[in-house]
Amino acid sequence: MKLSSFNSLPAPEAAAVLRPCVDNSRWVAELVDARPFEGKEQLLAAAEAAAEPWSEAEIDAALARHPRIGERAKGNSTEAGLSRGEQAGVSRDAAAQAELRRLNLAYEEKFGRVFLIRAAGRSTEDILKQLTSRLDNTPEEEIAVVGQQLREIALLRLDGAIEP
C-alpha cells in the first residue's frame, strides 16, 4: 500500500493495515493517530518509538498470534501468511524439526510462552543456537529479548506493507 493511501484511510482501516505487523493495540493506535507521515522513514521512526517499551502483558498478547518456531502457521490470515514467509528458511529436515520441538518445549516450560525470534534471514542453525542460548536467560532478561524480537518483526512487516 502506498504511504499516501495509508495516510488517508479512515482510522479503523488504517488500524487493520497495522495490526498484522504486531497485535498491540497501543502501538497501532499511536501510529494511526500520528498520521499523516511525510515519508516512510518518518513512519518507521514513529513505529520504532511507539514500540518502546512494551509491557509484559502487551508482549504476551502479541505472542498469541505467533506459532512456534518451526511450525507452519495455519489459516489464511495476513499474520499467518507473513509468518509462513518469515519461517520459509527453517529446515523441514526431521532431525532439525525434532530439535526445534525439544527446545521449544524446554523454553515454554521455563518461560511460560512460545519462543519468538525474528526468523526472516536466519538459518535453522542460528535459530537453534539462539534458542539454546536464550534458555540460560532469567525471565527478566528474556522478556526484554522477546520485546526486541517483536519490535524487529513489527518493523520488518511494516516496511514490507507500506510503499513510499
Side-chain angles (χ1 to χ4, degrees):
M1 167 176 285
K2 291 278 190 192
L3 179 61
S4 58
S5 298
F6 173 72
N7 280 336
S8 63
L9 287 174
E13 291 176 36
V17 170
L18 296 171
R19 192 155 307 280
C21 298
V22 64
D23 191 8
N24 180 306
S25 297
R26 180 174 54 90
W27 182 82
V28 168
E30 285 183 29
L31 290 180
V32 168
D33 292 345
R35 295 175 308 150
F37 296 101
E38 293 179 21
K40 190 170 179 178
E41 299 78 23
Q42 185 187 29
L43 167 63
L44 293 174
E48 191 166 359
E52 292 289 339
W54 284 340
S55 70
E56 189 169 345
E58 289 173 318
I59 290 169
D60 285 337
L63 285 176
R65 301 278 214 169
H66 289 269
R68 284 185 178 126
I69 194 76
E71 292 182 0
R72 304 267 306 156
K74 294 175 177 61
N76 296 322
S77 70
T78 302
E79 294 95 333
L82 289 167
S83 180
R84 284 190 294 269
E86 292 159 356
Q87 290 199 42
V90 176
S91 174
R92 297 289 166 219
D93 171 76
Q97 286 294 304
E99 186 66 357
L100 282 169
R101 273 191 300 280
R102 184 183 74 77
L103 291 171
N104 273 324
L105 291 174
Y107 181 94
E108 290 170 22
E109 185 176 309
K110 179 171 182 176
F111 295 111
R113 62 178 58 89
V114 298
F115 172 76
L116 183 81
I117 190 167
R118 178 195 41 79
R122 292 187 192 264
S123 68
T124 304
E125 294 76 23
D126 183 38
I127 291 169
L128 287 167
K129 180 181 171 186
Q130 292 295 320
L131 180 45
T132 301
S133 173
R134 286 172 52 187
L135 281 167
D136 291 333
N137 286 346
T138 66
E140 295 77 20
E141 292 168 331
E142 185 57 20
I143 196 67
V145 174
V146 174
Q148 179 57 38
Q149 293 299 302
L150 270 173
R151 285 186 285 282
E152 289 180 22
I153 293 166
L155 291 172
L156 282 172
R157 288 178 174 185
L158 181 60
D159 189 35
I162 305 294
E163 300 172 22

